[in-house]
Amino acid sequence: MTTPILCLAGPTAAGKSAATSALAARWPVEIINVDSATIYRGMDIGTAKPSKSEQARVPQHLLDIRDPAQSYSAAEFERDANQLIGDILSRGRLPLLCGGTMLYYKALREGLNALPEADAQIRAQIDREAAEIGWPGLHRQLADYDPVTAARLSPNDSQRLQRAIEIYRISGKPMSAWLQAARSPSTQPDQAHQYITISLEPSDRLVLHARIAQRYRSMLDQGLVEEVAALHARPDLHPGLPSVRCVGYRQLWEYLDGASSLETAVERAIAATRQLAKRQLTWLRSQPDRLTVDCLADNTAAQVVDKASAYWP
């Protein structure tokens, strides 16, 4: 009988770290971080990366594995996570997947559609066009040849817009058509493990919104602007990179470019984080088999431990 793999998911600021600590106090877990931002070195405050003391208490994986100038795909995550799951189980310990990058969960549990690989030159050209006409302008162009994808993307969702446009320019086929195609044999979902998702969700979204704003302002007090400034000073980093596009970083980068005031940048970052939380919750609520816990309850961590005990000895 295979050991169930627990996935602790939830929107940003839902309290995943506290719940993870409660699980680690009960079971011999090793954490596989499911986060497309904490993979980057030098991006600690704005990603709410576990502290050095937290990392010392519980083994953590997939932290600080890329320089901000590099990229990391969902396919790479799927490969790395599967390898880690096997390694952790072989040590007699329990893998705990924890984070809020829902595409990574999807890649691991459902497999990936075979999409064209990224092309740096095409991406650079798209970025130049975005600088001229704006992402809403490119969104309108996308609607002409891929209305299905355009309908589900925000006109300011630069990262996903760039990818959709890139796929079309590489292949001549819209992203929606690629996604409808059957998965290739190498991208079938993982059938070797039973994944159990414990989802931290707010009973009152406005309270979560207030928590998001409070957390971001706390990050500013911890030195987030200085952290982004250190990245901004590097000549090899630019707004076209996934690292710079991370929510909370992109807006401060614009401030450092002189494109906005700090106050405006902060408000935009908080608004973008709330939009991210909304997308995360939408995806989670589309998963019928998830186990939900109110992330605003006084005993959230205890509830998570109780649900985990049904699957872990």
Side-chain angles (χ1 to χ4, degrees), residues 146-168:
D146 191 356
V148 173
T149 300
R152 66 180 179 83
L153 295 182
S154 164
N156 290 303
D157 191 345
S158 58
Q159 190 164 353
R160 290 176 177 81
L161 283 172
Q162 183 195 58
R163 181 59 174 148
I165 296 167
E166 175 191 41
I167 287 171
Y168 180 75

Side-chain angles (χ1 to χ4, degrees), residues 217-254:
R217 294 188 184 280
S218 175
M219 289 174 175
L220 294 171
D221 293 339
Q222 295 170 48
L224 180 56
V225 174
E226 291 75 13
E227 181 173 271
V228 180
L231 300 171
H232 190 267
R234 286 180 47 171
D236 59 333
L237 300 184
H238 55 83
L241 292 168
S243 59
V244 179
R245 286 181 175 168
C246 287
V247 169
Y249 284 82
R250 179 175 69 249
Q251 294 79 15
L252 290 180
W253 192 282
E254 293 169 353

Side-chain angles (χ1 to χ4, degrees), residues 66-77:
R66 289 290 187 276
D67 182 85
Q70 299 173 311
S71 61
Y72 186 68
S73 68
E76 289 174 300
F77 170 82

Side-chain angles (χ1 to χ4, degrees), residues 1-310:
M1 182 176 178
T2 60
T3 301
I5 308 300
L6 290 191
C7 304
L8 182 62
T12 183
K16 294 184 289 293
S17 296
T20 297
S21 296
L23 292 170
R26 173 80 176 268
W27 290 280
V29 304
E30 295 190 25
I31 298 167
I32 300 174
N33 286 280
V34 188
D35 192 298
S36 60
T38 57
I39 60 170
Y40 293 114
R41 294 185 288 272
M43 296 175 58
D44 303 330
I45 299 171
T47 65
K49 192 176 295 178
S51 66
K52 295 302 180 184
S53 61
E54 288 173 323
Q55 294 180 43
R57 285 197 300 271
V58 185
Q60 304 259 352
H61 302 280
L62 302 185
L63 292 178
D64 298 327
I65 60 172
R66 289 290 187 276
D67 182 85
Q70 299 173 311
S71 61
Y72 186 68
S73 68
E76 289 174 300
F77 170 82
E78 180 187 20
R79 177 203 65 203
D80 293 344
N82 274 314
Q83 178 66 48
L84 286 165
I85 288 170
D87 292 345
I88 293 167
L89 290 172
S90 72
R91 292 192 286 271
R93 298 177 67 84
L94 296 171
L96 172 63
L97 289 108
C98 180
T101 299
M102 304 310 167
L103 178 60
Y104 285 4
Y105 284 118
K106 178 179 173 65
L108 191 62
R109 298 184 57 165
E110 303 174 26
L112 291 167
N113 297 83
L115 298 173
E117 293 186 3
D119 185 303
Q121 290 186 335
I122 290 177
R123 287 194 168 191
Q125 176 59 36
I126 295 170
D127 283 336
R128 287 192 291 270
E129 293 175 24
E132 293 176 4
I133 67 172
W135 288 106
L138 287 175
H139 182 269
R140 288 190 291 272
Q141 292 181 14
L142 177 67
D144 290 336
Y145 52 81
D146 191 356
V148 173
T149 300
R152 66 180 179 83
L153 295 182
S154 164
N156 290 303
D157 191 345
S158 58
Q159 190 164 353
R160 290 176 177 81
L161 283 172
Q162 183 195 58
R163 181 59 174 148
I165 296 167
E166 175 191 41
I167 287 171
Y168 180 75
R169 293 187 182 180
I170 290 172
S171 66
K173 185 166 75 172
M175 185 177 187
S176 55
W178 281 97
L179 295 177
Q180 289 173 0
R183 293 186 176 95
S184 66
S186 64
T187 57
Q188 292 297 320
D190 174 17
Q191 302 292 344
H193 303 293
Q194 177 192 12
Y195 291 100
I196 306 298
T197 297
I198 300 177
S199 178
L200 302 182
E201 302 176 19
S203 52
D204 185 336
R205 191 173 293 187
L206 292 179
V207 176
L208 179 66
H209 286 179
R211 184 185 286 185
I212 286 170
Q214 181 180 19
R215 188 174 79 154
Y216 192 74
R217 294 188 184 280
S218 175
M219 289 174 175
L220 294 171
D221 293 339
Q222 295 170 48
L224 180 56
V225 174
E226 291 75 13
E227 181 173 271
V228 180
L231 300 171
H232 190 267
R234 286 180 47 171
D236 59 333
L237 300 184
H238 55 83
L241 292 168
S243 59
V244 179
R245 286 181 175 168
C246 287
V247 169
Y249 284 82
R250 179 175 69 249
Q251 294 79 15
L252 290 180
W253 192 282
E254 293 169 353
Y255 156 67
L256 293 168
D257 274 343
S260 74
S261 67
L262 179 58
E263 181 180 356
T264 297
V266 170
E267 292 303 320
R268 287 176 177 172
I270 292 171
T273 307
R274 289 170 175 167
Q275 285 298 312
L276 170 62
K278 180 180 179 181
R279 293 193 299 270
Q280 291 167 320
L281 284 167
T282 297
W283 187 86
L284 283 167
R285 288 167 178 164
S286 72
Q287 308 303 304
D289 59 342
R290 76 194 192 283
L291 307 173
T292 60
V293 173
D294 181 7
C295 68
L296 305 179
D298 293 334
N299 63 339
T300 296
Q303 288 188 56
V304 169
V305 169
D306 182 62
K307 290 186 182 298
S309 65

